[in-house]
Amino acid sequence: MNMKKVVTFKALLVLALIATITSCKKSSSSKNTSRATGWQINSREGGFQYNTDFKEQETAPGLVFIEGGTFTKGRVQDDVMHDWNNTPNQQHVQSFYMDETEVTNAMYMEYLDWIKRVYPPSDENFRAIYHGALPDTLVWRNRLGYNEVMTDNYLRHPAYGEYPVVGVSWIQAVEFANWRTDRVNEYTLEREGYLKRDAKVTDVGADATFNTDTYINAPTLTYGGNEEVINPDNRNKRFVRTDADGNETNIYATRETGLITPKYRLPTETEWEYAALGLSEIRSYNLYRGRKKYPWDGQYTRNGKRKYRGDQLANFKQGKGDYGGIAGWSDDGSDITNAVKSYEPNDYGLYDMAGNVAEWVADVYRPIVDDEFNDFNYYRGNVYTKNALNDDGTVKVVTPEDIVYDTLSNGKIVARNLPGEILQVPVDENETYLRTNFDKSDQINFRDGDRRSSRYFESFNDDEGTNTGDGVTRKMYNSPKNVVTRDSLGNLVRQYDKSNNRTSLINDEVRVYKGGSWKDREYWLDPAQRRYYPQDMATDYIGFRCAMSRVGSKSKQKFKKKN
């Protein structure tokens, strides 16, 4: 072969190799190249900033991952109560996270301590905030029982620190979840250098707090606009850029950074029931077909393993006058509640999904689950709101002077909003016009309890129905209307509804609670069972745990494409 041709061939080969290597390098960095425009993402020159290194949602404190799927929700055993309020229906749940245990006294005391420091009850302007968050310790009292030791000690004594908190209403549980969201995101942003270190302790006050929604929508208004806190010298430089005038941009964490976690909240009834059932070796038969009775495998409440045979698998009332069994033998280990993690978890790693305390869930109670309309992430209780705006288009942030207090039906006073939060208002026609998926702010009564779902709507009037204040009376849920008002001196005036025409305890302020408690018989340990209770009242047997939605992939396991 001609020597010149050989050299040329080798040269072409080298060039091809270089081109391949260059192509590989370009491909490896393509995650920072827009597939829409070809522009560079996260360039030092500015432009679009986005976390292209995001892998998956970080598991927030206290939570465990629950992979979603389909299951049979509702009654799977004999309906001895004859209420037929949990007939079986097939539902699908998205993946989510849930607390591995119920919220404990120690966890709730941390919440109370924060409120006491930020909104001192010694200040008359804030006294109702702290008092409105306090659990009702009088729930332990019984007319014919001596329980004062729990009344005085159960919430605060360290002997009960790891016991589930009780005496907490549904409203209080929701406020705890909101507070927890802000504290977790506040800590994350401090860790990543977006907030001054230890500001959550040294710089916090009634007019200088952190709220997640406020930080996202108006970051300069968090901590009362304290630049030293929200723009520290040691901040994370990853997304900071300089514009043409030399001014720094992107100095605040946004959703695009992937650092701000979704909100802690109460689980929906469907999520709670799905999580309580757990996994098993025969999931395809038991869980899918609705044959699973308890969070554990089998049809009995006692452990069948040789080493622990006969031990109770949950804390519940075993019979009349028997809250724990015979002392030293066949005992479930507790006569009232018990410390969390005292019994084995289910296959999801969740403790006490049966027994110990029943738990609040997010849903408004209705006897019927409308699976004909929806069988995906089912939930009744949506009330859609939006951020209130000032005249100049900026969001309206609540100040200490803007706090609004609500008087509940039981006379307790709670704060509707707290300083630092964005004021919320109902959605209006700007959001609902020509929409097909929702048409108003309050969707609690959709297809149930309103004019469209009752055959009596033509004869609705104040005598036959319950006037809701919007011109519509609902005969379907004709519950008592107790009224709490204040006189000219500010004293509470309680008026009891003594009418004999009321036909139901169900209204839009009763919430579902799930699971059996230390006070319940075995029947209520079935995750499918459901009961309801007023959202502003509390008991000695209802607690709660938090949940969080998962963003991104359904599973933590990456499914690789087949070649």
Side-chain angles (χ1 to χ4, degrees):
M1 180 182 293
N2 188 302
M3 191 56 123
K4 187 176 181 179
K5 290 183 177 180
V6 171
V7 172
T8 302
F9 176 76
K10 288 183 178 180
L12 291 173
L13 189 61
V14 170
L15 289 173
L17 183 59
I18 292 173
T20 301
I21 294 173
T22 303
S23 175
C24 289
K25 287 183 178 180
K26 185 176 181 180
S27 175
S28 65
S29 63
S30 62
K31 65 180 181 179
N32 285 323
T33 301
S34 168
R35 293 204 304 271
T37 63
W39 293 9
Q40 286 297 302
I41 301 173
N42 299 322
S43 65
R44 281 290 169 187
E45 292 72 24
F48 182 47
Q49 307 300 319
Y50 196 73
N51 186 359
T52 55
D53 293 325
F54 184 81
K55 297 295 186 292
E56 68 169 9
Q57 181 177 345
E58 179 181 344
T59 302
L63 304 178
V64 295
F65 175 68
I66 311 293
E67 183 178 339
T70 184
F71 79 115
T72 301
K73 169 182 167 68
R75 179 180 55 82
V76 295
Q77 301 295 322
D78 293 336
D79 187 19
V80 299
M81 300 297 291
H82 300 293
D83 47 14
W84 295 98
N85 72 344
N86 56 344
T87 53
N89 60 93
Q90 200 71 20
Q91 294 286 337
H92 191 98
V93 183
Q94 276 189 297
S95 296
F96 62 101
Y97 297 84
M98 182 178 277
D99 272 336
E100 64 174 345
T101 71
E102 293 127 347
V103 171
T104 64
N105 286 316
M107 294 166 67
Y108 202 88
M109 284 294 296
E110 184 180 10
Y111 167 51
L112 293 178
D113 177 73
W114 185 90
I115 292 179
K116 196 171 186 177
R117 286 189 291 107
V118 178
Y119 307 108
S122 57
D123 188 328
E124 187 177 351
N125 296 320
F126 303 134
R127 186 174 301 144
I129 297 178
Y130 180 71
H131 289 170
L134 285 172
D136 182 4
T137 57
L138 301 184
V139 295
W140 288 106
R141 285 182 172 167
N142 186 302
R143 293 181 183 87
L144 294 178
Y146 180 73
N147 298 323
E148 289 305 289
V149 65
M150 276 87 78
T151 300
D152 296 335
N153 295 285
Y154 184 82
L155 174 63
R156 299 181 183 276
H157 199 286
Y160 294 113
E162 290 304 303
Y163 283 53
V165 67
V166 297
V168 175
S169 69
W170 182 92
I171 292 175
Q172 290 173 313
V174 170
E175 288 303 312
F176 173 87
N178 294 336
W179 167 85
R180 189 176 176 186
T181 299
D182 292 338
R183 302 292 73 78
V184 169
N185 279 322
E186 182 180 34
Y187 174 71
T188 300
L189 294 178
E190 175 193 307
R191 182 190 67 196
E192 296 296 325
Y194 286 98
L195 293 176
K196 175 186 172 184
R197 187 171 297 279
D198 295 327
K200 61 184 181 295
V201 177
T202 59
D203 294 83
V204 70
D207 56 354
T209 60
F210 175 89
N211 175 264
T212 300
D213 288 335
T214 302
Y215 186 84
I216 292 172
N217 291 277
T220 59
L221 300 182
T222 53
Y223 275 99
N226 188 337
E227 274 290 315
E228 182 184 350
V229 174
I230 59 180
N231 195 4
D233 293 334
N234 64 334
R235 65 179 177 272
N236 190 314
K237 300 287 186 179
R238 176 178 176 188
F239 292 102
V240 176
R241 300 292 181 265
T242 304
D243 62 19
D245 298 325
N247 300 315
E248 289 186 337
T249 61
N250 303 307
I251 60 177
Y252 303 111
T254 61
R255 290 199 188 277
E256 290 85 349
T257 64
L259 295 175
I260 298 175
T261 188
K263 294 182 179 181
Y264 283 89
R265 54 177 174 78
L266 291 182
T268 66
E269 179 183 3
T270 306
E271 287 175 334
W272 192 98
E273 187 172 327
Y274 176 82
L277 288 169
L279 298 168
S280 73
E281 294 178 358
I282 44 178
R283 181 185 186 194
S284 61
Y285 180 76
N286 277 358
L287 185 56
Y288 183 81
R289 296 179 181 273
R291 304 287 185 185
K292 204 161 187 283
K293 185 176 182 181
Y294 298 117
W296 53 84
D297 292 337
Q299 299 295 308
Y300 306 100
T301 63
R302 295 186 182 275
N303 201 323
K305 297 178 182 178
R306 180 183 295 246
K307 185 177 180 179
Y308 304 103
R309 183 165 294 165
D311 288 353
Q312 290 287 5
L313 294 167
N315 174 20
F316 65 100
K317 183 178 179 180
Q318 299 181 33
K320 186 174 180 59
D322 182 359
Y323 288 82
I326 300 173
W329 182 85
S330 188
D331 194 357
D332 67 14
S334 184
D335 39 23
I336 55 168
T337 57
N338 204 347
V340 297
K341 297 189 177 182
S342 294
Y343 308 91
E344 291 186 6
N346 71 0
D347 287 339
Y348 277 130
L350 301 173
Y351 294 85
D352 295 319
M353 296 301 284
N356 216 12
V357 292
E359 300 177 17
W360 289 113
V361 295
D363 296 58
V364 170
Y365 176 80
R366 289 293 185 266
I368 297 174
V369 173
D370 190 0
D371 61 312
E372 291 185 0
F373 186 82
N374 184 40
D375 56 6
F376 181 76
N377 285 346
Y378 188 90
Y379 166 64
R380 180 178 289 280
N382 281 312
V383 178
Y384 303 115
T385 61
K386 62 180 179 179
N387 297 334
L389 300 179
N390 296 310
D391 294 337
D392 60 359
T394 58
V395 294
K396 182 174 179 57
V397 177
V398 177
T399 65
E401 294 74 28
D402 297 327
I403 303 174
V404 176
Y405 296 96
D406 288 330
T407 302
L408 306 180
S409 64
N410 58 5
K412 194 163 188 174
I413 300 173
V414 298
R416 184 189 305 175
N417 47 36
L418 293 176
E421 299 177 351
I422 299 178
L423 182 66
Q424 296 296 299
V425 295
V427 298
D428 53 29
E429 193 177 41
N430 292 327
E431 289 77 33
T432 61
Y433 180 63
L434 292 183
R435 284 191 180 273
T436 58
N437 54 333
F438 71 100
D439 57 1
K440 60 181 180 178
S441 177
D442 188 339
Q443 297 290 322
I444 289 175
N445 284 302
F446 180 67
R447 284 170 57 98
D448 189 74
D450 58 8
R451 290 175 63 91
R452 290 176 294 182
S453 59
S454 173
R455 61 178 176 168
Y456 298 108
F457 72 89
E458 292 180 355
S459 60
F460 271 14
N461 57 60
D462 289 341
D463 295 329
E464 296 181 344
T466 302
N467 195 313
T468 63
D470 58 1
V472 178
T473 51
R474 298 185 172 95
K475 186 173 181 178
M476 184 176 291
Y477 302 114
N478 185 18
S479 60
K481 297 187 294 182
N482 302 310
V483 180
V484 180
T485 58
R486 289 184 175 275
D487 60 19
S488 58
L489 299 177
N491 300 315
L492 288 178
V493 179
R494 299 175 175 87
Q495 297 176 318
Y496 297 94
D497 186 346
K498 299 181 180 181
S499 170
N500 293 323
N501 298 324
R502 303 306 175 195
T503 59
S504 173
L505 293 176
I506 302 172
N507 56 43
D508 291 350
E509 283 75 47
V510 294
R511 301 284 172 166
V512 178
Y513 69 94
K514 300 280 283 184
S517 73
W518 65 273
K519 219 170 185 178
D520 291 313
R521 298 291 289 269
E522 175 187 348
Y523 172 76
W524 296 107
L525 300 185
D526 185 340
Q529 303 302 343
R530 56 201 302 261
R531 292 172 283 180
Y532 61 91
Y533 205 73
Q535 65 183 21
D536 55 7
M537 298 180 69
T539 75
D540 60 351
Y541 60 87
I542 301 179
F544 70 101
R545 72 180 75 208
C546 296
M548 179 184 289
S549 300
R550 176 171 170 82
V551 293
S553 63
K554 172 185 177 181
S555 173
K556 280 179 170 290
Q557 298 178 0
K558 304 298 181 183
F559 295 97
K560 297 181 179 179
K561 295 181 180 179
K562 295 182 179 179
N563 293 328

